[in-house]
Amino acid sequence: EVQLVESGGGLVQPGGSLRLACAASGFTFGIYDMSWVRQAPGKGPEWVSGINGGGGSTLYADSAKGRFTISRDNTKNTLYLEMNSLKPEDTAVYYCATTKHGVITIADMTRTEEYDYWGQGTQVTVSS
């Protein structure tokens, strides 16, 4: 049974930092592409960042580029998202997600309806 559990969210002031984690189990984490997706209040899901199974290839939404860093520790079956210079518009529930086959193509990575497995999400609130 696939399980994804996010943690690390919280309340932070604009300009602050948070590191999110996603603990994975029930699948071969080290060969699965992974993504972070967020959903702000009243809005649809937005792809934030993706990483391949080995961790050598990363991609970011324009909104995250230069501020966020995605990484993974396959020995711990854990995905991370380091978020710096946070803005109020980053406020959202953040989810880790993947597909049933573990492949997330460049063409499909922003199409959040293509993801099969999701965590429960962790709330990030950026406010003064």
Side-chain angles (χ1 to χ4, degrees):
E1 179 179 328
V2 171
Q3 188 171 43
L4 301 169
V5 181
E6 299 94 337
S7 62
L11 175 64
V12 64
Q13 294 184 15
S17 299
L18 285 173
R19 187 163 94 143
L20 309 183
C22 170
S25 61
F27 64 102
T28 309
F29 178 76
I31 62 170
Y32 268 60
D33 299 338
M34 299 293 298
S35 286
W36 286 99
V37 178
R38 68 187 181 187
Q39 188 163 15
K43 298 184 178 180
E46 176 192 19
W47 176 82
V48 176
S49 184
I51 188 168
N52 73 325
S57 181
T58 59
L59 293 169
Y60 300 90
D62 288 342
S63 60
K65 194 180 298 293
R67 301 186 300 124
F68 293 6
T69 302
I70 190 171
S71 63
R72 64 197 297 161
D73 185 343
N74 288 342
T75 69
K76 298 180 179 179
N77 283 2
T78 302
L79 176 73
Y80 301 98
L81 185 68
E82 178 74 32
M83 305 187 295
N84 300 311
S85 301
L86 283 162
K87 306 173 181 179
E89 52 262 45
D90 295 317
T91 295
V93 178
Y94 284 72
Y95 302 89
C96 58
T98 191
T99 68
K100 62 182 179 181
H101 296 121
V103 176
I104 306 173
T105 67
I106 300 297
D108 287 343
M109 63 185 182
T110 64
R111 300 181 65 200
T112 57
E113 68 272 17
E114 297 296 322
Y115 291 85
D116 300 299
Y117 304 130
W118 299 78
Q120 86 290 344
T122 186
Q123 176 71 51
V124 171
T125 302
V126 185
S127 177
S128 60

